[in-house]
Amino acid sequence: MQELWKYRELFYFLAWRDVKVRYKQTVLGVFWAVIQPLFTMAVFTVLFGRLVRLEIDPGVPPTVFYFSGLLPWIYFASTLSQVGNSLVSNVGLVKKVYFPRVILPGAVALAGVVDLSIGSVLLGLLLLYHGIALSWSLLLWPLLALPLVVMTLGIGMFLAALNVKYRDVKHAIPFMVQIGIFVTPVIYPVRLVPERFHFLLALNPMSGLVEAFRFAVNPWRDMNWPAVSLSLVIGVAVFLAGLTYFRKAERTFADVV
């Protein structure tokens, strides 16, 4: 920790660099932070809300249901991909300059919070548009960002370290994300899943987090708190495992990358 504190300015510099690079030479700039969840929400609302008529949370507009699930999912999906490639995309730094390598994936994970924050503001406007009363539970929304970042960083660090040795990882990450959205309750509420599969669903750390984010918007929804707690515990375990593997492999990065 002392070493990380010593290099804190480099950490902030790299995080800010990632934010600027993300929107550099784009016409729409930071609007891209809301375009992706907004258009995905519109597609989900029409496809699953109007055509399939999927039964979502009672009393909650489909736009709010999908948008509140998409924001944490999109952070996870986009950040995981960037964190997983953070070492191989900074070969020059890794080979030539000494600093704690964990700063690279950490800076990417922090930069992604900017997009999540912008999307969260839009969610607030969406709640006001639909006349949904703002409740105390909304205070949980920013707090839940911490376990989301930690869990994403844990998986990302493991993949980043693995990616240094095996470049198959960069091809596997998009595939994992594509599959992941179907085993995470982003499109559907957990209560539509047969109860005998709830335990398996809870083993996915993103499952409990998406449910918790939706609770922050709608505190009257049915929640399986033991399953959510299990997901959160697994998320912490994933972070510790990812960090341990990353630190163990760190010494060889400069030689192998």
Side-chain angles (χ1 to χ4, degrees), residues 76 80 150-160 176 205 238-239 242:
F76 170 75
L80 184 68
V150 167
M151 191 272 296
T152 307
L153 184 58
I155 301 176
M157 284 190 298
F158 174 75
L159 294 175
M176 289 165 55
V238 164
F239 170 75

Side-chain angles (χ1 to χ4, degrees), residues 60 63 86 88 106 120 145-146 153 155 160 165 167-168 171 191 193 201-202 205 210 218 226 235 237 251-252 256-257:
V60 176
T63 49
S86 58
V88 294
S120 300
L146 180 61
L153 184 58
I155 301 176
K165 235 178 176 180
R167 298 301 161 84
D168 310 70
H171 301 291
R191 62 185 170 77
V193 178
L201 202 60
V210 168
N218 174 24
R251 290 188 292 273
T252 64
V256 181
V257 72

Side-chain angles (χ1 to χ4, degrees), residues 59 67 108-109 145 150 160 166 178 185 200:
F67 201 70
V108 174
V150 167
Y166 308 103
Q178 282 180 345
L200 291 177

Side-chain angles (χ1 to χ4, degrees), residues 45-231:
T45 300
V46 173
L47 187 61
F48 299 107
R50 300 288 173 82
L51 300 180
V52 180
R53 294 189 182 279
L54 200 67
E55 192 180 337
I56 57 170
D57 292 348
V60 176
T63 49
V64 173
F65 176 82
Y66 290 118
F67 201 70
S68 57
L70 278 168
L71 286 181
W73 174 257
I74 288 176
Y75 170 83
F76 170 75
S78 60
T79 304
L80 184 68
S81 176
Q82 293 172 42
V83 170
N85 290 292
S86 58
L87 294 174
V88 294
S89 59
N90 287 282
V91 175
L93 275 176
V94 173
K95 277 185 170 292
K96 295 177 182 174
V97 184
Y98 173 77
F99 61 93
R101 305 306 190 215
V102 73
I103 283 180
L104 284 172
V108 174
L110 181 63
V113 175
V114 174
D115 285 1
L116 180 64
S117 302
I118 295 171
S120 300
V121 172
L122 186 61
L123 176 66
L125 296 176
L126 206 57
L127 294 177
L128 293 175
Y129 173 78
H130 286 289
I132 297 176
L134 304 182
S135 68
W136 63 268
S137 60
L138 273 177
L139 295 174
L140 292 174
W141 186 274
L143 297 179
L144 287 167
L146 180 61
L148 175 64
V149 172
V150 167
M151 191 272 296
T152 307
L153 184 58
I155 301 176
M157 284 190 298
F158 174 75
L159 294 175
L162 212 58
N163 198 17
V164 170
K165 235 178 176 180
Y166 308 103
R167 298 301 161 84
D168 310 70
V169 173
K170 73 176 179 183
H171 301 291
I173 293 175
F175 175 68
M176 289 165 55
V177 168
Q178 282 180 345
I179 298 294
I181 195 170
F182 296 109
V183 295
T184 304
V186 176
I187 298 170
Y188 51 86
V190 169
R191 62 185 170 77
L192 293 187
V193 178
E195 200 168 339
R196 64 181 183 277
F197 295 122
H198 282 195
F199 176 73
L200 291 177
L201 202 60
L203 295 179
N204 171 7
M206 271 306 292
S207 176
L209 275 170
V210 168
E211 283 289 284
F213 271 103
R214 284 206 171 110
F215 175 81
V217 174
N218 174 24
W220 300 277
R221 72 193 309 260
D222 292 332
M223 292 289 289
N224 184 344
W225 287 112
V228 172
S229 303
L230 177 61
S231 290

Side-chain angles (χ1 to χ4, degrees), residues 26-49:
T26 60
V27 176
L28 298 178
V30 294
F31 285 103
W32 282 112
V34 295
I35 287 174
Q36 185 182 0
L38 206 56
F39 275 78
T40 310
M41 174 205 71
V43 171
F44 282 4
T45 300
V46 173
L47 187 61
F48 299 107

